[in-house]
Amino acid sequence: MRAAAAIWLAAFGLSATPVATAKQAPGLAQFVTLGTGGGPLTRVKRSEPANALVVNGAVYLFDAGDGTQRQLAAAGLSVHAVRAIFVSHHHIDHVGGLAPLLLTRWLLDDRTPLPVIGPPGMTNMVDGIASAYRATELAPITIGGPPMPAIRATLAPRDLPSMLDTPREVYRDVNIRVLAITNDHYHFPPGSAAAASARSYSFRIETKDRTIVYTGDTGPSARLPLLAKGCDLLVSEVIDLSAMAAILRRAGDIPPAVLGPMIAHMEQDHLAPESVARLASTAGCKRVVLTHLSPGMDDETDLSGYTKGMAAIFAGPITVANDLARF
Ligand SMILES: [Zn+2]
Ligand SMILES: [Zn+2]
């Protein structure tokens, strides 16, 4: 970060130095569930899906739903510590916070091109964000001084291959190695435009001390056990189908012809607790953390629906994550 930005931050009483990472032993990886609510609902207690892997003071984001910047601040993590962003898929609950984060980083004088790695369409989305904010680019917050770079010049987007049947390395630096597979979150009719282009991925993150697998959104998938094999921590999405169906039925204004297919989509495209347990057991994972809680409503008091039936299948520890929890 350049001096001008440091002065600007100091003027607002802000620091560009990560705070909470000081608590962490050097070299040890920590996974922070920044946002644990599933789907595009605005909640008070659960932000939209976002996760930070923190290692040696560097932050790697896995999904960036609406509210990611605020959740980073709440976790004591600086936007300047972000070294790469991985996007599991392009549903809005996973990318809604991307543009504000990228623009803030640009504005605060961070010039290193940031890898933004995601499904086909990722580069197009980043190009679009840069061009959508052209008016912001033309309205700098300082008078004089060195010229600001183009927003796009501070970003290094990359599209993942359209189909990864087996885990393949998609990123590596001194702290982490990331592998990905294409998962089974989408079941579009063959021949449709969506079937041709929409893809969803799960990630395996290898650090010096631990291996963490993040499912993103997916239904049961034969490829997932390959990716999750022997991992220390499986961070999985989960859906409480009966609670979700009850909420949809209570909504009252959804016609039965729409309600049935909606519930079928949730069964097919997401993971029920027993499906998560089967994955963890088959892959030999040591511990399970459940996130992307659906429905995950603010008035929820009983969380047992998210773990129902799991203990009979998977013997290891199972935790239902809250926002800002560290694992
Ligand atoms: Zn989602
Ligand atoms: Zn999704």
Side-chain angles (χ1 to χ4, degrees):
M1 190 176 55
R2 295 187 313 189
I7 293 165
W8 192 85
L9 285 171
F12 286 84
L14 300 169
S15 163
T17 310
V19 182
T21 48
K23 293 177 196 159
Q24 194 182 342
L28 295 183
Q30 211 169 54
F31 193 90
V32 189
T33 47
L34 296 173
T36 59
L41 282 176
T42 301
R43 308 165 179 91
V44 175
K45 294 178 186 166
R46 295 192 186 276
S47 196
E48 289 190 6
N51 304 277
L53 189 278
V54 187
V55 54
N56 289 325
V59 173
Y60 303 87
L61 285 176
F62 289 83
D63 286 330
D66 187 26
T68 298
Q69 261 196 102
R70 186 175 171 80
Q71 293 304 96
L72 273 173
L77 300 170
S78 165
V79 67
H80 296 291
V82 176
R83 294 285 171 272
I85 301 178
F86 300 85
V87 171
S88 65
H89 65 302
H90 286 141
H91 278 160
I92 190 64
D93 52 323
H94 297 255
V95 292
L98 195 56
L101 187 75
L102 301 183
L103 266 289
T104 300
R105 187 179 172 275
W106 162 79
L107 183 67
L108 296 185
D109 231 2
D110 215 327
R111 301 298 185 244
T112 317
L114 181 73
V116 182
I117 298 165
M122 193 74 256
T123 302
N124 190 46
M125 182 179 283
V126 169
D127 287 345
I129 288 170
S131 71
Y133 285 89
R134 176 64 180 148
T136 306
E137 205 169 61
L138 292 172
I141 56 165
T142 54
I143 299 167
M148 294 284 285
I151 294 165
R152 182 62 178 79
T154 66
L155 301 167
R158 182 149 55 88
D159 288 9
L160 292 168
S162 172
M163 179 54 72
L164 294 175
D165 273 321
T166 54
R168 189 186 306 172
E169 182 180 303
V170 296
Y171 179 87
R172 180 197 281 259
D173 67 13
V174 293
N175 294 314
I176 66 168
R177 176 177 183 242
V178 180
L179 299 96
I181 53 140
T182 309
N183 66 31
D184 290 292
H185 185 42
Y186 296 134
H187 298 86
F188 296 115
S192 65
S197 63
R199 296 289 180 272
S200 179
Y201 299 81
S202 303
F203 298 105
R204 177 183 179 100
I205 312 144
E206 296 177 352
T207 72
K208 284 193 179 65
D209 61 306
R210 298 165 82 200
T211 296
I212 298 159
V213 169
Y214 170 59
T215 63
D217 288 12
T218 183
S221 167
R223 296 182 206 99
L224 266 172
L226 287 173
L227 188 79
K229 197 172 184 337
C231 69
D232 297 292
L233 187 64
L234 174 67
V235 181
S236 177
E237 74 130 287
V238 72
I239 186 167
D240 179 345
L241 275 168
S242 57
M244 197 72 213
I247 284 170
L248 292 174
R249 286 196 189 94
R250 268 206 308 276
D253 54 355
I254 305 173
V258 175
L259 185 62
M262 268 177 92
I263 293 172
H265 147 78
M266 286 171 185
E267 276 173 354
Q268 203 176 18
D269 298 348
H270 291 283
L271 292 174
E274 291 188 349
S275 298
V276 179
R278 270 192 289 278
L279 166 62
S281 174
T282 306
C285 306
K286 295 188 180 69
R287 180 180 181 186
V288 171
V289 165
L290 299 169
T291 189
H292 196 280
L293 303 179
S294 299
M297 306 301 274
D298 280 330
D299 60 359
E300 204 168 60
T301 51
D302 179 9
L303 300 179
S304 63
Y306 295 118
T307 57
K308 199 173 172 193
M310 288 184 75
I313 302 166
F314 175 68
I318 300 162
T319 309
V320 178
N322 286 323
D323 283 16
L324 308 177
R326 288 166 181 265
F327 300 94

